[in-house]
Amino acid sequence: MAAARTRAGICAILGLPNAGKSTLMNQVLGLRLMAVSPKPQTTRNRVLGVKNREVDGDAAQIVFLDTPGAQRGPGALRQYMREQTLAAAGDCDVALLLLDAADPVQRAPGTLGEGPAAALDELTGSRRAPIVLALNKIDRVAKPALLPALEAWGATGRFQELVPISALKGDGLDRLEAAVARLLPEGPHLYPEDTVTDRAERFIAAELVREQVFRQLGDELPYAAAVVVEEFRERPDRGDVVISAVVHVERESQKGIVVGKGGQRIKAIGTAGRAAIAQLLGCPVHLLLHVKVSPNWSSGAGGLRDMGYE
Ligand code: GDP
Ligand code: MG
């Protein structure tokens, strides 16, 4: 019997906001690692997740990078997200382009508007790493619409593999993982076998709280909130964790929205956030939330740095 080879490399998950990148990452890792939200742009930092699996008898390690979606537009935050995405595309061994097949614009090549199309060109055009295309949300697309979409994307000849998936339901993910794993270079694994993420638990806790903020008031508070965990204290004697986090908003009026009438909103956010963090950590959690007005946190580079977005 031939000795098992090892493969390893970085797979950047690229795509427009809301394509389902974070959902895919969470499903593949079997963990709620990333904030998922129906509002675009809830993922602000690159996050790495490690998946070990066998492919064709080889022991493969895929290091997934969840990147903020390709975005153009004014403001430091958007610019920052754009740079992160391009940096991820440049560094990776395999690029995984995720498109929302339920969106008629993304379903077929050629109908993408100028902005998104240009961003995709930038992402896929000059690079040498192989690209796998995943058409996501097929649970929301009727077969007669899906088949021509697959054919049209296949005919572009830009992709090593094309896999229809539903990140939400888990359909097609095994095939997708295998397709990515086969394209990884041969070599030693990059992380110990039991590594799932490079992110500290306190970062994940902040993501889970932010997910609740967006879930519960995304319409009223678009892009204007950041969550920073200020204290993350394990109490081994009690077997629990005490977390204190600050929800930063830009204006006094937004603070009122987050706090809600008689503190109802912030209480609901805290309850749901605490439950999600407790599930992740597997122990009881005490979550203390505060709301703070930090003017213009999203528009200046200094503000971004203070919020830990670097
Ligand atoms: P991201 O911005 O690319 O990270 O997208 P998210 O992972 O945050 O997902 C955006 C929205 O699409 C969320 O409401 C998800 O629940 C939803 N979504 C993601 N994948 C699927 C899928 O396969 N099917 C359906 N129906 N919805 C999905
Ligand atoms: Mg995301």
Side-chain angles (χ1 to χ4, degrees):
M1 213 176 91
R5 289 177 306 182
T6 56
R7 299 179 174 277
I10 294 173
C11 172
I13 307 175
L14 308 171
L16 298 173
N18 234 24
K21 298 179 295 297
S22 300
T23 305
L24 174 65
M25 180 92 145
N26 291 346
Q27 278 281 7
V28 163
L29 300 181
L31 183 76
R32 271 161 46 95
L33 184 61
M34 298 299 307
V36 170
S37 149
K39 299 281 148 213
Q41 256 186 339
T42 54
T43 305
R44 292 199 169 120
N45 262 308
R46 290 166 63 171
V47 172
L48 177 158
V50 182
K51 176 76 181 189
N52 297 295
R53 65 160 289 155
E54 214 189 85
V55 68
D56 305 336
D58 294 348
Q61 181 173 72
I62 312 171
V63 179
F64 286 102
L65 271 183
D66 183 4
T67 62
Q71 269 283 348
R72 289 170 186 278
L77 184 59
R78 286 194 175 179
Q79 179 61 26
Y80 165 83
M81 292 179 65
R82 209 174 100 73
E83 282 163 13
Q84 289 240 316
T85 306
L86 291 174
D91 288 344
C92 66
D93 298 291
V94 179
L96 171 56
L97 179 59
L98 194 66
L99 292 179
D100 179 352
D103 173 7
V105 171
Q106 294 179 51
R107 194 150 64 217
T111 55
L112 274 178
E114 211 175 286
L120 287 180
D121 277 346
E122 233 171 310
L123 293 175
T124 63
S126 60
R127 46 167 310 100
R128 267 169 288 136
I131 306 171
V132 173
L133 175 64
L135 276 184
N136 190 29
K137 308 196 188 181
I138 55 167
D139 57 291
R140 293 187 52 205
V141 184
K143 270 230 174 79
L146 185 62
L147 295 180
L150 289 170
E151 261 172 37
W153 277 112
T156 63
R158 265 175 148 173
F159 307 102
Q160 250 71 17
E161 286 274 357
L162 205 162
V163 188
I165 64 165
S166 168
L168 193 66
K169 310 237 181 242
D171 294 336
L173 298 191
D174 188 61
R175 232 194 100 196
L176 179 62
E177 273 177 38
V180 170
R182 277 193 198 99
L183 292 167
L184 294 177
E186 242 185 278
H189 288 183
L190 305 169
Y191 290 88
E193 298 304 295
D194 57 358
T195 307
V196 177
T197 179
D198 68 335
R199 285 302 162 126
E201 286 167 336
R202 68 159 56 210
F203 171 83
I204 298 170
E207 280 283 290
L208 291 172
V209 173
R210 199 154 58 83
E211 178 174 359
Q212 289 308 321
V213 173
F214 274 87
R215 279 255 158 103
Q216 303 198 24
L217 26 93
D219 282 331
E220 296 165 74
L221 208 73
Y223 319 138
V227 176
V228 175
V229 169
E230 307 218 308
E231 186 193 5
F232 189 106
R233 190 157 43 93
E234 289 175 53
R235 298 193 295 191
D237 51 323
R238 303 196 196 192
D240 63 7
V241 176
V242 178
I243 298 170
S244 147
V246 177
V247 181
H248 292 270
V249 294
E250 291 184 306
R251 286 191 296 276
E252 202 62 46
S253 61
Q254 295 167 340
K255 181 174 175 179
I257 293 172
V258 176
V259 171
K261 223 187 220 162
Q264 292 279 359
R265 267 317 186 17
I266 192 71
K267 203 173 154 199
I269 291 166
T271 303
R274 180 177 55 75
I277 298 168
Q279 197 195 350
L280 174 82
L281 300 179
C283 69
V285 167
H286 302 272
L287 177 63
L288 311 165
L289 285 184
H290 306 278
V291 186
K292 204 172 142 188
V293 180
S294 312
N296 303 320
W297 71 263
S298 70
S299 54
L304 279 179
R305 208 168 301 124
D306 292 346
M307 297 298 152
Y309 288 120
E310 209 178 61

